[in-house]
Amino acid sequence: MDEVTPGYVAVGRLLGVRGINGEMKVEPLSPESTLQPGRVVTVNGQEREIEHSRLSGRWAYVKLSGIDTREAAQALCGAYVQVREDDLDALPEGKHYHFQLIGLAVRALDGRELGRVTDVLSAPENDVYVVSGPAGEILIPAVDDVVRNVDIEGGGITIEIIPGLLP
């Protein structure tokens, strides 16, 4: 598995192969719009164009240019699908790329410091922020009832603590 290249953002991870013509199952790590046909992405250091893509549940299925066999696709399993950070589409108000959330400080409405976002998990219903801090690892559902404010420029997320959220 490759690492994310400096100046690039992982927008998906190649999980497996579908069929015999090089189509791959992808875990999206960003909004679906980043995996649209015509977009140039980088996989294992090589630029490829997305020839076609479709969503099915929480997975995307993509066909990349130059990957035309099951074996060629299998060789890429585990790799990140990357896009230059400068080439990312602007997101609507209130939406964020995962990489923008990593490292943000998380604070409760009552002022308690809970830690920093170390990962963002994609789930069918909503994303989940993994926060590491003094109380250990906390999983914060990214829903309006819990996440009250995300301030990328200010470096923080404010949450409402609901029953059962903290250990």
Side-chain angles (χ1 to χ4, degrees), residues 99-164:
F99 80 93
Q100 295 174 306
L101 300 168
I102 303 296
L104 293 183
V106 178
R107 174 178 306 107
L109 284 173
D110 64 12
R112 281 186 279 173
E113 299 287 334
L114 301 174
R116 294 196 173 271
V117 177
T118 56
D119 197 4
V120 179
L121 307 175
S122 295
E125 301 81 28
N126 54 267
D127 285 346
V128 176
Y129 303 157
V130 179
V131 177
S132 296
E137 191 172 87
I138 304 167
L139 301 178
I140 308 290
V143 296
D144 292 341
D145 290 346
V146 177
V147 177
R148 295 307 175 106
N149 184 46
V150 176
D151 182 1
I152 300 295
E153 291 77 28
I157 298 174
T158 305
I159 68 162
E160 168 116 9
I161 297 177
I162 59 173

Side-chain angles (χ1 to χ4, degrees), residues 24-147:
M24 290 173 274
K25 179 179 179 180
V26 177
E27 174 189 13
L29 301 175
S30 65
E32 306 81 50
S33 63
T34 57
L35 294 173
Q36 293 301 312
R39 179 177 289 279
V40 175
V41 297
T42 300
V43 178
N44 280 352
Q46 294 190 330
E47 285 193 348
R48 306 226 179 246
E49 184 176 332
I50 297 177
E51 292 181 354
H52 66 81
S53 68
R54 63 186 171 80
L55 289 176
S56 180
R58 67 181 286 206
W59 310 116
Y61 293 90
V62 300
K63 169 69 176 71
L64 299 175
S65 62
I67 306 299
D68 299 317
T69 65
R70 182 174 184 83
E71 295 73 26
Q74 188 68 40
L76 297 176
C77 286
Y80 287 112
V81 178
Q82 303 177 53
V83 173
R84 283 187 185 94
E85 192 170 334
D86 294 342
D87 293 343
L88 289 173
D89 300 327
L91 294 178
E93 181 75 25
K95 298 288 184 186
H96 310 289
Y97 288 103
H98 290 184
F99 80 93
Q100 295 174 306
L101 300 168
I102 303 296
L104 293 183
V106 178
R107 174 178 306 107
L109 284 173
D110 64 12
R112 281 186 279 173
E113 299 287 334
L114 301 174
R116 294 196 173 271
V117 177
T118 56
D119 197 4
V120 179
L121 307 175
S122 295
E125 301 81 28
N126 54 267
D127 285 346
V128 176
Y129 303 157
V130 179
V131 177
S132 296
E137 191 172 87
I138 304 167
L139 301 178
I140 308 290
V143 296
D144 292 341
D145 290 346
V146 177
V147 177

